[in-house]
């Protein structure tokens, strides 16, 4: 089993709360960043591990690859694991 970084789309789980003139962004009740408006349009600032691209939000997450070994030291001669 190995770990691999994977880019997961989380757009449908991102919500916003307007506070102090900024839109604070949340995913699963955790604040992940904020969006502000300015003369050049809106700016999105996200915590490390999150990305914003083409109006979509992504999270970089560790995922497992390969098979998970469930049984160790099996004794095939006696039929037990």
């Amino acid at each position: 089993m190995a770990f691999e970084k994977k880019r997961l789309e989380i757009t449908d789980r991102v919500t916003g709360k307007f506070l102090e003139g900024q839109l604070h962004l949340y995913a699963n009740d955790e604040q992940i960043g904020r969006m502000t408006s300015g003369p050049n349009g809106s700016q999105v600032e996200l915590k490390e591990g999150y990305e914003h691209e083409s109006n979509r939000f992504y999270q970089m997450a560790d995922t497992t690859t390969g098979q998970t070994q469930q049984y160790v030291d099996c004794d095939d001669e006696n039929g037990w694991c």
Side-chain angles (χ1 to χ4, degrees):
M1 175 172 65
F3 290 100
E4 161 183 60
K5 286 278 187 197
K6 194 169 190 179
R7 188 178 186 208
L8 305 173
E9 184 182 347
I10 60 166
T11 304
D12 60 338
R13 292 185 289 169
V14 174
T15 58
K17 215 182 256 188
F18 193 70
L19 298 167
E20 301 170 7
Q22 300 174 348
L23 185 62
H24 293 254
L25 302 171
Y26 295 84
N28 300 327
D29 296 324
E30 175 189 354
Q31 185 174 356
I32 63 167
R34 61 190 177 143
M35 182 181 291
T36 59
S37 290
N40 298 330
S42 61
Q43 300 290 328
V44 178
E45 298 173 11
L46 298 174
K47 286 174 47 176
E48 185 174 335
Y50 295 91
E51 298 176 359
H52 177 254
E53 181 181 304
S54 301
N55 296 322
R56 309 301 259 169
F57 291 94
Y58 300 91
Q59 179 181 14
M60 297 302 291
D62 289 326
T63 58
T64 57
T65 60
Q67 296 180 350
T68 303
Q69 188 175 359
Q70 294 180 354
Y71 303 104
V72 182
D73 297 330
C74 291
D75 184 355
D76 293 328
E77 292 176 12
N78 293 319
W80 60 268
C81 283

